[in-house]
């Protein structure tokens, strides 16, 4: 039975530990291709037996999460929102804190404190307790276990003090309530911050939510873009978002494609040109034929790749995941030892020993380690996408950070792929204007890119008009023609033994008339790119199937020292392998002809427009063919990796320092809860800096 990809919308996951518990559950069930995105609230996996799905959903919900039909339409109930839970708890916690600052007799009555704390504790049990128990069931204890144990210990101790009438020294209701309230406040900030890290994907999803004007029997009906089918005729007016991918049937327009390419200048579109769903018509209007709809559109594929990329873990994250997996049991053991040692080895007494143990529990923060990598990756990938750089995995970022070599293909990468005439060299005594006339007359009958380049290059120059009787094209060779006087011509590939620069020859009645040198022009930003790579210690390399002399010429103009020309596809693989043995190697090509080399390199980068082949061929696609995107890609990757390391350093350093401080009794549990509540917000805040941080600094 064929495997089916199952996609579920799962709410309630608030950190990487939650995602780990779901991932572990699905692994135990033998499912494959598992992807759990806690920020995007999505779970995906492959299964060959769809009858298992109800049981899988039941087990996921058994962990304390909720599977919903449509994330876009889901509205959490009033009491489910963490913001409302925080406000509710804060109203009851405030009087408990007030009695510590101001002498209000009624607030010192144990029963009053119990009644104020009880609603907060119930909310804490429902919010943290349920999550804690379910995370233990899932085999990945989360931070909520620590919060639940710490707050429950304070509440139970206080309750015993109240029932036994032991006095105010045994009451820690304010500690219990404050821990729960402050952690809920941290959850509020964390939720809002994590939402911002996923804004790039959400912005792209919003672009899809448009209407379309469909033409049916001469009338126009307004429908949702999801209802468009291949073959539909759509009318798109100025200011509209193009609803789906297609081709223009009539009309013309200037289209803003910045959401795909990052390029601010609009692109002119005419009849038969392809248009991309989600792009905006700035000027003009047209009628189009829908060719790709739904999940087949370029925008949908980009969104899907972005989601997969955010779920792909860099190797550095494995360290954080391993530590987070054993963190909670370790902290509970440390807390228990703190209580035993403080009580038995010092004269601190039962109360102080319990407070020290509770402080250890509530100050510890495994979430900071769990959030350190995925939040930075989400922001980094999002920023890259807004610059027209599609990175297909968080693991790619770590590879790129240590790049030593960048290998370039020539045609279409360092050059434009648009040919121009370099030189026309007639034989002695041959009129140059006659030569131009013959070339124009022959090549204007062909649609070949070289033919169009020759005709455009000669346009406006003096030439003798030549009338041809017949013209035929020989694929891969050139053009044959006959004029009204019976003269026969051949214009096609050929090179002189003396000068390889001349790659076209024109013959008249089998006698050579002239030689023509054509070449595609070098991209204006190529030299700056090579210079920038050298400045940051990366060695540029040119690898091409073109002739050696032409490769050397391009390399000299742009500043590349290492050149490999006239290489067949299998020879390119050998060259890439040699460089990989020396250091991390990136290959940049057009994503079609260089597909094997792109795959062989540590990271393949496709310089291409947004075509189907380009999206699937490499680990990185530069939708904007401006070569400066290469530098931007390297800079964003480097700073994303730097942010991950900063986050992990903070997460480890915080816990290494905070836990001993709490164990030694230098920290009140309430301050511990306050500190813990904001430790993961610090990590997320540092990740969010990537959105606007200058990345052009070393």
């Amino acid at each position: 039975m064929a495997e089916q990809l199952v996609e579920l919308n799962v709410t309630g996951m608030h950190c990487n530990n939650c995602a780990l518990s779901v991932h572990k559950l699905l692994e135990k069930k033998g499912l494959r291709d598992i992807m759990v995105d806690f920020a995007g609230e999505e779970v995906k996996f492959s299964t060959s037996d769809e009858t298992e799905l109800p049981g899988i959903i039941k087990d996921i919900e058994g962990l304390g999460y909720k599977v919903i039909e449509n994330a876009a339409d889901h509205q959490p109930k009033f009491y489910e929102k963490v913001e409302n839970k925080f406000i509710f708890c804060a109203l009851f916690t405030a009087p408990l804190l007030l009695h510590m600052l101001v002498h209000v007799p009624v607030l010192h009555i144990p029963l009053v404190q119990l009644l104020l704390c009880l609603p907060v504790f119930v909310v804490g049990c429902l919010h943290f307790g349920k999550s804690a128990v379910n995370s233990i069931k899932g085999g990945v204890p989360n931070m909520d276990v620590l919060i639940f144990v710490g707050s429950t210990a304070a509440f139970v101790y206080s309750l015993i003090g109240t029932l036994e009438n032991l006095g105010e020294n045994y009451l820690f209701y304010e500690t219990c309530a404050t821990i729960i309230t402050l952690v809920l406040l941290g959850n509020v900030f964390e939720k809002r911050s994590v939402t911002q890290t996923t804004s790039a994907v959400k912005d792209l999803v919003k672009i899809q939510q448009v209407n379309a004007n469909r033409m049916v029997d001469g009338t126009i009906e307004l429908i949702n873009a999801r209802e468009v089918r291949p073959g539909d005729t759509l009318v798109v007016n100025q200011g509209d978002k193009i609803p789906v991918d297609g081709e223009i049937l009539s009309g013309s327009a200037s289209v803003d494609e910045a959401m795909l390419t990052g390029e601010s200048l609009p692109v002119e579109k005419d009849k038969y040109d392809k248009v991309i769903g989600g792009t905006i018509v700035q000027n003009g209007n047209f009628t189009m034929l829908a060719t790709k709809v739904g999940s087949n559109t370029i925008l949908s594929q980009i969104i899907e790749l972005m989601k997969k990329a955010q779920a792909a873990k860099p190797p550095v994250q494995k360290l954080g995941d391993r530590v987070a997996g054993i963190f909670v049991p370790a902290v509970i053991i440390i807390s228990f030892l703190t209580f035993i040692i403080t009580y038995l080895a010092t004269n601190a007494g039962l109360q102080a020993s319990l407070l020290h143990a509770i402080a250890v529990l509530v100050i510890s923060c495994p979430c900071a380690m769990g959030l350190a990598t995925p939040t930075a990756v989400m922001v980094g990938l999002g920023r890259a996408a807004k610059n027209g750089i599609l990175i297909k995995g968080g693991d790619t970022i770590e590879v790129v950070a240590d790049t030593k070599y960048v290998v370039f293909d020539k045609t279409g990468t360092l050059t434009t792929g648009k040919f121009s005439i370099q030189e026309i060299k007639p034989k002695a005594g041959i009129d140059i204007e006659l030569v131009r006339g013959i070339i124009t007359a022959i090549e204007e009958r062909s649609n070949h890119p070289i033919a169009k380049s020759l005709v455009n290059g000669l346009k406006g120059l003096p030439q003798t008009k030549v009338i041809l009787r017949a013209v035929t094209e020989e694929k891969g060779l050139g053009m044959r023609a006959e004029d009204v006087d019976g003269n026969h011509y051949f214009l096609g590939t050929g090179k002189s033994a003396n000068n390889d620069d001349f790659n076209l020859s024109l013959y008249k009645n089998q006698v050579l008339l002239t030689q023509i040198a054509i070449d595609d022009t070098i991209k204006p930003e190529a030299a700056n790119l090579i210079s920038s790579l050298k400045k940051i210690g990366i060695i540029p390399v040119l690898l091409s199937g073109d002739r050696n002399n032409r490769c050397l010429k391009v390399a000299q103009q742009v500043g590349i020292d290492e050149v490999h020309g006239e290489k067949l596809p299998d020879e390119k693989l050998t060259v890439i392998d040699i460089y990989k043995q020396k250091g991390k190697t990136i290959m940049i090509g057009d994503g079609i002809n260089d597909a094997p080399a792109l795959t062989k390199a540590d990271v393949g980068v496709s310089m291409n427009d947004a075509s189907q082949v380009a999206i699937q061929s490499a680990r990185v696609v530069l939708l904007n063919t401006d070569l400066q995107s290469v530098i931007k890609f390297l800079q964003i990757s480097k700073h994303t990796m730097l942010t991950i390391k900063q986050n992990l350093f903070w997460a480890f350093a915080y816990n290494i320092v905070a836990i001993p401080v709490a164990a030694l009794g230098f920290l009140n549990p309430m301050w511990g809860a306050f500190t813990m509540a904001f430790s993961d917000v610090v990590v997320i805040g540092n990740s969010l800096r990537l959105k606007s941080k200058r990345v052009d600094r070393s």
Side-chain angles (χ1 to χ4, degrees), residues 681-697:
V681 177
V682 170
V683 166
I684 300 170
N686 189 46
S687 296
L688 288 172
R689 287 174 57 237
L690 263 175
K691 280 192 172 186
S692 55
K693 180 184 180 183
R694 279 188 62 186
V695 295
D696 55 350
R697 301 174 189 171

Side-chain angles (χ1 to χ4, degrees), residues 75-136:
Q75 291 296 329
K77 296 181 176 66
F78 179 84
Y79 57 84
E80 291 178 335
K81 293 182 178 180
V82 68
E83 294 89 344
N84 294 335
K85 290 179 182 178
F86 163 69
I87 293 170
F88 176 82
C89 291
L91 292 174
F92 288 93
T93 303
L96 285 171
L97 288 175
L98 183 65
H99 100 279
M100 299 175 64
L101 304 173
V102 181
H103 183 72
V104 180
V106 70
L107 294 178
H108 287 264
I109 300 173
L111 185 60
V112 172
Q113 291 188 26
L114 170 61
L115 292 175
L116 286 170
C117 181
L118 188 59
V120 180
F121 181 66
V122 170
V123 170
C125 287
L126 294 173
H127 185 81
F128 299 112
K130 186 179 178 183
S131 172
V133 171
N134 291 323
S135 73
I136 293 170

Side-chain angles (χ1 to χ4, degrees), residues 18 38 48 78 88 150 167 185 207 230 237 287 356 367 430 435 456 503 532 649 680:
C18 301
F38 74 89
S48 55
F78 179 84
F88 176 82
L185 177 61
I207 290 171
N237 299 313
T287 302
H356 292 185
C367 269
I430 304 297
V435 168
N456 290 333
N503 45 5
S532 298
F649 175 80
D680 49 0

